[in-house]
Amino acid sequence: MSPRLRLAIPNKGRLAEPAIELLRDAGFVFDPHDRRLVAHVENLDVDVLFVRAGDIVEFVADGVADLGITGRDLLAERDSPLQALRELGFGHCRLSVAVPDESPYQAVEDLAGLRSATAHPNLARRFFAERELNVEVIPLSGAVEVAPRLGLAESIVDLVSTGSTLAMNGLRPIGVVLESEAVLVGGPTSEGRADEVAAVDQMLGAVLEGRRSKYVMMNAPADRLAELRSLLPALASPSVIPLAEEGMIAIHSVVGAADVWRLLPRLKAGGASGILVLPIEKILG
Ligand code: AMP
C-alpha cells in the first residue's frame, strides 16, 4: 500500500486561512484546529501538514511533502526548481521597491550606490543586478518597512497588497520586482504519484473555476431569446426551459463572476425578469 499523499500548507500567516478554506470547499474533510503538525483527511488518502509558509518549498523539495501551497514569491526567493502546478487565486501581492515619501528617489535607477532592506534578499539582488545597479541588499527577517526610519537602508523591497502598510509607514512604491499569489507546488515525489496529484489538482481547480463564475437564472418572453442569448457568453450554451405560462421561458447560464454587474442591467433591458444570481460550488469542464 502506498503511503498517503502529503500536502503541506501554511500553519499561520496570510495564506493559512484561505488555504484551509480552499481545501474545505474542495471537499477535504479534516480538523485543522487541533494544533498538530499533521491532520488526517477523513475522506481521502491525503494528510495535510501544517508548516511555516517559508518552509513549504523545502518540505516539498525534500520529498517530506508531495504537494504544497505557498506564495510564488517564496518559491522564487529560493530559486527552487519546483513546479507551480496551479495558481490558487488568493494571496495576491507584489514584491515592490519602496522609498520614504519625502526622499528624492523616483525610480529604481536612482537607488544606485544606496542600500535596500528586504526579507527577499535573493530576489532583490537579482532584480538590481539585472539592471546593473549597485545596490547593497540588507537581509532582514521582519519589520522591513521600518528599516528606512532606523537608518538601516534608503529603500526596501517588500510585499505589498493594498499599499496601506506602506502608506502607514510613510513609504511609496517606485518599482515592482515580482507579482505573486498562492500556488500549488509539486516536487520530486509528486511525479511518481501523477494520478493522485492530478486528482487533488482537479478538486482545487473545480473550486477555483466555480469561484470565478456565477449561475444566472432568469425568465423572459420566448421571442426575446435571440437577443438575450447574444448577451450571454458565447461558449456556454444556455439552458432554455419552457415555463407553464404560455410564451415564457427560463434561461439558465454560467457567467463570469466579474461580469455580473455589467450584465444584469443589459439582461433586464433585453426582456429578462426575476433574475437570480447563484454561487457555484464547483465546475468541472
Ligand atoms: P506571512 O506568513 O503572512 O508573512 O506571508 C506569507 C505569504 O503571504 C507571503 O510570502 C506572500 O506570498 C503572501 N502575502 C500576500 N499578501 C501579502 C502582504 N500584503 N504582505 C505580506 N505577504 C503577503
Side-chain angles (χ1 to χ4, degrees), residues 12-15 53 70-74 91-93 120 158-162 165 180-182:
K12 52 182 180 226
R14 285 167 212 262
L15 302 181
T70 190
R72 186 180 283 287
D73 58 301
L74 296 170
H92 289 279
C93 57
H120 293 74
D158 203 9
L159 294 168
V160 181
S161 45
T162 60
T165 309
S180 181
E181 74 179 277

PDB file of all heavy atoms in Angstrom, residues 12-15 53 70-74 91-93 120 158-162 165 180-182, ligand 1:
ATOM      1  N   LYS A  12       0.328  29.366   9.730  1.00  0.00           N
ATOM      2  CA  LYS A  12      -0.145  30.690  10.157  1.00  0.00           C
ATOM      3  C   LYS A  12       0.213  31.715   9.096  1.00  0.00           C
ATOM      4  O   LYS A  12       0.807  31.375   8.085  1.00  0.00           O
ATOM      5  CB  LYS A  12       0.411  31.070  11.524  1.00  0.00           C
ATOM      6  CG  LYS A  12       1.899  30.959  11.666  1.00  0.00           C
ATOM      7  CD  LYS A  12       2.300  31.326  13.088  1.00  0.00           C
ATOM      8  CE  LYS A  12       3.779  31.227  13.241  1.00  0.00           C
ATOM      9  NZ  LYS A  12       4.340  30.589  14.328  1.00  0.00           N
ATOM     10  N   GLY A  13      -0.179  32.958   9.346  1.00  0.00           N
ATOM     11  CA  GLY A  13       0.091  33.997   8.351  1.00  0.00           C
ATOM     12  C   GLY A  13      -1.058  34.139   7.367  1.00  0.00           C
ATOM     13  O   GLY A  13      -2.091  33.500   7.499  1.00  0.00           O
ATOM     14  N   ARG A  14      -0.832  34.999   6.390  1.00  0.00           N
ATOM     15  CA  ARG A  14      -1.910  35.388   5.471  1.00  0.00           C
ATOM     16  C   ARG A  14      -2.450  34.272   4.613  1.00  0.00           C
ATOM     17  O   ARG A  14      -3.582  34.351   4.143  1.00  0.00           O
ATOM     18  CB  ARG A  14      -1.387  36.451   4.514  1.00  0.00           C
ATOM     19  CG  ARG A  14      -1.243  37.785   5.124  1.00  0.00           C
ATOM     20  CD  ARG A  14      -0.428  38.642   4.197  1.00  0.00           C
ATOM     21  NE  ARG A  14       0.343  39.568   4.982  1.00  0.00           N
ATOM     22  CZ  ARG A  14      -0.030  40.815   5.203  1.00  0.00           C
ATOM     23  NH1 ARG A  14      -1.127  41.268   4.690  1.00  0.00           N
ATOM     24  NH2 ARG A  14       0.710  41.594   5.940  1.00  0.00           N
ATOM     25  N   LEU A  15      -1.607  33.272   4.338  1.00  0.00           N
ATOM     26  CA  LEU A  15      -2.059  32.217   3.412  1.00  0.00           C
ATOM     27  C   LEU A  15      -2.765  31.077   4.137  1.00  0.00           C
ATOM     28  O   LEU A  15      -3.396  30.227   3.498  1.00  0.00           O
ATOM     29  CB  LEU A  15      -0.869  31.660   2.623  1.00  0.00           C
ATOM     30  CG  LEU A  15      -0.069  32.666   1.796  1.00  0.00           C
ATOM     31  CD1 LEU A  15       1.065  31.973   1.047  1.00  0.00           C
ATOM     32  CD2 LEU A  15      -0.977  33.400   0.818  1.00  0.00           C
ATOM     33  N   ALA A  53       4.949  28.956   6.181  1.00  0.00           N
ATOM     34  CA  ALA A  53       4.866  29.216   4.735  1.00  0.00           C
ATOM     35  C   ALA A  53       6.265  29.194   4.109  1.00  0.00           C
ATOM     36  O   ALA A  53       6.469  28.631   3.031  1.00  0.00           O
ATOM     37  CB  ALA A  53       4.190  30.562   4.485  1.00  0.00           C
ATOM     38  N   THR A  70       1.940  27.525  -1.234  1.00  0.00           N
ATOM     39  CA  THR A  70       2.765  28.608  -0.719  1.00  0.00           C
ATOM     40  C   THR A  70       2.723  29.795  -1.678  1.00  0.00           C
ATOM     41  O   THR A  70       2.064  29.720  -2.712  1.00  0.00           O
ATOM     42  CB  THR A  70       4.219  28.118  -0.477  1.00  0.00           C
ATOM     43  OG1 THR A  70       4.933  29.119   0.248  1.00  0.00           O
ATOM     44  CG2 THR A  70       4.952  27.831  -1.764  1.00  0.00           C
ATOM     45  N   GLY A  71       3.414  30.871  -1.322  1.00  0.00           N
ATOM     46  CA  GLY A  71       3.416  32.054  -2.185  1.00  0.00           C
ATOM     47  C   GLY A  71       4.427  31.903  -3.315  1.00  0.00           C
ATOM     48  O   GLY A  71       5.509  31.351  -3.112  1.00  0.00           O
ATOM     49  N   ARG A  72       4.082  32.397  -4.488  1.00  0.00           N
ATOM     50  CA  ARG A  72       5.034  32.351  -5.612  1.00  0.00           C
ATOM     51  C   ARG A  72       6.330  33.082  -5.242  1.00  0.00           C
ATOM     52  O   ARG A  72       7.414  32.711  -5.664  1.00  0.00           O
ATOM     53  CB  ARG A  72       4.399  32.979  -6.858  1.00  0.00           C
ATOM     54  CG  ARG A  72       5.265  32.842  -8.086  1.00  0.00           C
ATOM     55  CD  ARG A  72       4.641  33.456  -9.309  1.00  0.00           C
ATOM     56  NE  ARG A  72       3.587  32.663  -9.898  1.00  0.00           N
ATOM     57  CZ  ARG A  72       3.766  31.533 -10.577  1.00  0.00           C
ATOM     58  NH1 ARG A  72       4.975  31.035 -10.730  1.00  0.00           N
ATOM     59  NH2 ARG A  72       2.757  30.887 -11.111  1.00  0.00           N
ATOM     60  N   ASP A  73       6.225  34.142  -4.402  1.00  0.00           N
ATOM     61  CA  ASP A  73       7.419  34.887  -4.004  1.00  0.00           C
ATOM     62  C   ASP A  73       8.387  33.999  -3.227  1.00  0.00           C
ATOM     63  O   ASP A  73       9.598  34.106  -3.393  1.00  0.00           O
ATOM     64  CB  ASP A  73       7.026  36.108  -3.145  1.00  0.00           C
ATOM     65  CG  ASP A  73       6.251  35.709  -1.898  1.00  0.00           C
ATOM     66  OD1 ASP A  73       5.184  35.080  -2.044  1.00  0.00           O
ATOM     67  OD2 ASP A  73       6.715  36.011  -0.784  1.00  0.00           O
ATOM     68  N   LEU A  74       7.827  33.099  -2.409  1.00  0.00           N
ATOM     69  CA  LEU A  74       8.687  32.245  -1.584  1.00  0.00           C
ATOM     70  C   LEU A  74       9.381  31.192  -2.448  1.00  0.00           C
ATOM     71  O   LEU A  74      10.520  30.814  -2.206  1.00  0.00           O
ATOM     72  CB  LEU A  74       7.859  31.592  -0.475  1.00  0.00           C
ATOM     73  CG  LEU A  74       7.275  32.605   0.520  1.00  0.00           C
ATOM     74  CD1 LEU A  74       6.271  31.953   1.456  1.00  0.00           C
ATOM     75  CD2 LEU A  74       8.395  33.259   1.320  1.00  0.00           C
ATOM     76  N   GLY A  91      -3.950  35.366  -1.917  1.00  0.00           N
ATOM     77  CA  GLY A  91      -2.581  35.772  -1.557  1.00  0.00           C
ATOM     78  C   GLY A  91      -1.941  36.658  -2.612  1.00  0.00           C
ATOM     79  O   GLY A  91      -0.728  36.674  -2.767  1.00  0.00           O
ATOM     80  N   HIS A  92      -2.797  37.420  -3.336  1.00  0.00           N
ATOM     81  CA  HIS A  92      -2.242  38.320  -4.352  1.00  0.00           C
ATOM     82  C   HIS A  92      -1.443  39.434  -3.683  1.00  0.00           C
ATOM     83  O   HIS A  92      -1.915  40.065  -2.737  1.00  0.00           O
ATOM     84  CB  HIS A  92      -3.358  38.978  -5.161  1.00  0.00           C
ATOM     85  CG  HIS A  92      -4.051  38.021  -6.071  1.00  0.00           C
ATOM     86  ND1 HIS A  92      -3.553  37.659  -7.286  1.00  0.00           N
ATOM     87  CD2 HIS A  92      -5.199  37.337  -5.936  1.00  0.00           C
ATOM     88  CE1 HIS A  92      -4.362  36.796  -7.860  1.00  0.00           C
ATOM     89  NE2 HIS A  92      -5.377  36.584  -7.060  1.00  0.00           N
ATOM     90  N   CYS A  93      -0.248  39.651  -4.150  1.00  0.00           N
ATOM     91  CA  CYS A  93       0.559  40.772  -3.660  1.00  0.00           C
ATOM     92  C   CYS A  93       1.675  41.009  -4.661  1.00  0.00           C
ATOM     93  O   CYS A  93       1.850  40.223  -5.589  1.00  0.00           O
ATOM     94  CB  CYS A  93       1.148  40.465  -2.276  1.00  0.00           C
ATOM     95  SG  CYS A  93       2.142  38.978  -2.192  1.00  0.00           S
ATOM     96  N   HIS A 120      13.491  39.349   1.194  1.00  0.00           N
ATOM     97  CA  HIS A 120      13.645  38.572  -0.048  1.00  0.00           C
ATOM     98  C   HIS A 120      14.995  38.939  -0.694  1.00  0.00           C
ATOM     99  O   HIS A 120      15.033  39.493  -1.801  1.00  0.00           O
ATOM    100  CB  HIS A 120      12.511  38.887  -1.028  1.00  0.00           C
ATOM    101  CG  HIS A 120      11.153  38.434  -0.574  1.00  0.00           C
ATOM    102  ND1 HIS A 120      10.435  39.058   0.408  1.00  0.00           N
ATOM    103  CD2 HIS A 120      10.379  37.408  -0.995  1.00  0.00           C
ATOM    104  CE1 HIS A 120       9.280  38.425   0.591  1.00  0.00           C
ATOM    105  NE2 HIS A 120       9.217  37.421  -0.253  1.00  0.00           N
ATOM    106  N   ASP A 158       9.708  44.917  -0.460  1.00  0.00           N
ATOM    107  CA  ASP A 158       8.789  44.213   0.446  1.00  0.00           C
ATOM    108  C   ASP A 158       7.470  43.901  -0.253  1.00  0.00           C
ATOM    109  O   ASP A 158       7.142  44.506  -1.279  1.00  0.00           O
ATOM    110  CB  ASP A 158       8.532  45.083   1.689  1.00  0.00           C
ATOM    111  CG  ASP A 158       8.072  44.249   2.875  1.00  0.00           C
ATOM    112  OD1 ASP A 158       8.113  42.997   2.800  1.00  0.00           O
ATOM    113  OD2 ASP A 158       7.657  44.856   3.889  1.00  0.00           O
ATOM    114  N   LEU A 159       6.713  42.975   0.353  1.00  0.00           N
ATOM    115  CA  LEU A 159       5.429  42.587  -0.218  1.00  0.00           C
ATOM    116  C   LEU A 159       4.374  43.646   0.074  1.00  0.00           C
ATOM    117  O   LEU A 159       4.279  44.153   1.185  1.00  0.00           O
ATOM    118  CB  LEU A 159       4.974  41.250   0.366  1.00  0.00           C
ATOM    119  CG  LEU A 159       5.856  40.065  -0.010  1.00  0.00           C
ATOM    120  CD1 LEU A 159       5.515  38.853   0.842  1.00  0.00           C
ATOM    121  CD2 LEU A 159       5.713  39.735  -1.489  1.00  0.00           C
ATOM    122  N   VAL A 160       3.589  43.942  -0.944  1.00  0.00           N
ATOM    123  CA  VAL A 160       2.547  44.963  -0.828  1.00  0.00           C
ATOM    124  C   VAL A 160       1.277  44.375  -1.424  1.00  0.00           C
ATOM    125  O   VAL A 160       1.313  43.798  -2.509  1.00  0.00           O
ATOM    126  CB  VAL A 160       2.921  46.216  -1.655  1.00  0.00           C
ATOM    127  CG1 VAL A 160       1.848  47.284  -1.522  1.00  0.00           C
ATOM    128  CG2 VAL A 160       4.274  46.764  -1.244  1.00  0.00           C
ATOM    129  N   SER A 161       0.154  44.491  -0.693  1.00  0.00           N
ATOM    130  CA  SER A 161      -1.104  44.109  -1.355  1.00  0.00           C
ATOM    131  C   SER A 161      -1.949  45.352  -1.593  1.00  0.00           C
ATOM    132  O   SER A 161      -2.102  45.796  -2.719  1.00  0.00           O
ATOM    133  CB  SER A 161      -1.837  42.994  -0.618  1.00  0.00           C
ATOM    134  OG  SER A 161      -1.869  43.228   0.757  1.00  0.00           O
ATOM    135  N   THR A 162      -2.478  45.967  -0.539  1.00  0.00           N
ATOM    136  CA  THR A 162      -3.283  47.173  -0.768  1.00  0.00           C
ATOM    137  C   THR A 162      -2.413  48.436  -0.807  1.00  0.00           C
ATOM    138  O   THR A 162      -2.827  49.452  -1.343  1.00  0.00           O
ATOM    139  CB  THR A 162      -4.311  47.371   0.364  1.00  0.00           C
ATOM    140  OG1 THR A 162      -3.577  47.507   1.579  1.00  0.00           O
ATOM    141  CG2 THR A 162      -5.264  46.199   0.448  1.00  0.00           C
ATOM    142  N   THR A 165      -0.105  49.449   4.308  1.00  0.00           N
ATOM    143  CA  THR A 165       1.009  49.330   5.270  1.00  0.00           C
ATOM    144  C   THR A 165       2.151  50.251   4.850  1.00  0.00           C
ATOM    145  O   THR A 165       2.759  50.923   5.693  1.00  0.00           O
ATOM    146  CB  THR A 165       1.511  47.868   5.366  1.00  0.00           C
ATOM    147  OG1 THR A 165       0.383  47.029   5.583  1.00  0.00           O
ATOM    148  CG2 THR A 165       2.510  47.686   6.486  1.00  0.00           C
ATOM    149  N   SER A 180       2.898  38.232  -7.177  1.00  0.00           N
ATOM    150  CA  SER A 180       2.802  36.927  -6.516  1.00  0.00           C
ATOM    151  C   SER A 180       1.361  36.582  -6.159  1.00  0.00           C
ATOM    152  O   SER A 180       0.518  37.463  -5.982  1.00  0.00           O
ATOM    153  CB  SER A 180       3.648  36.937  -5.233  1.00  0.00           C
ATOM    154  OG  SER A 180       3.589  35.691  -4.587  1.00  0.00           O
ATOM    155  N   GLU A 181       1.074  35.298  -6.094  1.00  0.00           N
ATOM    156  CA  GLU A 181      -0.162  34.800  -5.484  1.00  0.00           C
ATOM    157  C   GLU A 181       0.135  33.401  -4.971  1.00  0.00           C
ATOM    158  O   GLU A 181       1.214  32.857  -5.234  1.00  0.00           O
ATOM    159  CB  GLU A 181      -1.338  34.807  -6.464  1.00  0.00           C
ATOM    160  CG  GLU A 181      -1.337  33.759  -7.536  1.00  0.00           C
ATOM    161  CD  GLU A 181      -2.581  33.863  -8.433  1.00  0.00           C
ATOM    162  OE1 GLU A 181      -3.633  33.346  -8.062  1.00  0.00           O
ATOM    163  OE2 GLU A 181      -2.461  34.456  -9.523  1.00  0.00           O
ATOM    164  N   ALA A 182      -0.795  32.837  -4.229  1.00  0.00           N
ATOM    165  CA  ALA A 182      -0.576  31.489  -3.711  1.00  0.00           C
ATOM    166  C   ALA A 182      -0.591  30.493  -4.875  1.00  0.00           C
ATOM    167  O   ALA A 182      -1.363  30.642  -5.823  1.00  0.00           O
ATOM    168  CB  ALA A 182      -1.661  31.136  -2.704  1.00  0.00           C
TER     169      ALA A 182
HETATM  170  P1  AMP B   1       3.020  35.751   6.097  1.00  0.00           P
HETATM  171  O1  AMP B   1       3.223  34.327   6.547  1.00  0.00           O
HETATM  172  O2  AMP B   1       1.673  36.282   6.441  1.00  0.00           O
HETATM  173  O3  AMP B   1       4.138  36.669   6.464  1.00  0.00           O
HETATM  174  O4  AMP B   1       3.054  35.759   4.495  1.00  0.00           O
HETATM  175  C1  AMP B   1       3.240  34.635   3.759  1.00  0.00           C
HETATM  176  C2  AMP B   1       2.944  34.930   2.310  1.00  0.00           C
HETATM  177  O5  AMP B   1       1.693  35.601   2.166  1.00  0.00           O
HETATM  178  C3  AMP B   1       3.920  35.819   1.595  1.00  0.00           C
HETATM  179  O6  AMP B   1       5.106  35.194   1.266  1.00  0.00           O
HETATM  180  C4  AMP B   1       3.101  36.185   0.372  1.00  0.00           C
HETATM  181  O7  AMP B   1       3.158  35.133  -0.572  1.00  0.00           O
HETATM  182  C5  AMP B   1       1.689  36.253   0.911  1.00  0.00           C
HETATM  183  N1  AMP B   1       1.176  37.637   1.015  1.00  0.00           N
HETATM  184  C6  AMP B   1       0.083  38.081   0.386  1.00  0.00           C
HETATM  185  N2  AMP B   1      -0.145  39.384   0.638  1.00  0.00           N
HETATM  186  C7  AMP B   1       0.839  39.822   1.418  1.00  0.00           C
HETATM  187  C8  AMP B   1       1.161  41.087   2.004  1.00  0.00           C
HETATM  188  N3  AMP B   1       0.451  42.183   1.802  1.00  0.00           N
HETATM  189  N4  AMP B   1       2.226  41.146   2.805  1.00  0.00           N
HETATM  190  C9  AMP B   1       2.932  40.028   3.026  1.00  0.00           C
HETATM  191  N5  AMP B   1       2.685  38.812   2.480  1.00  0.00           N
HETATM  192  C10 AMP B   1       1.645  38.699   1.676  1.00  0.00           C
END
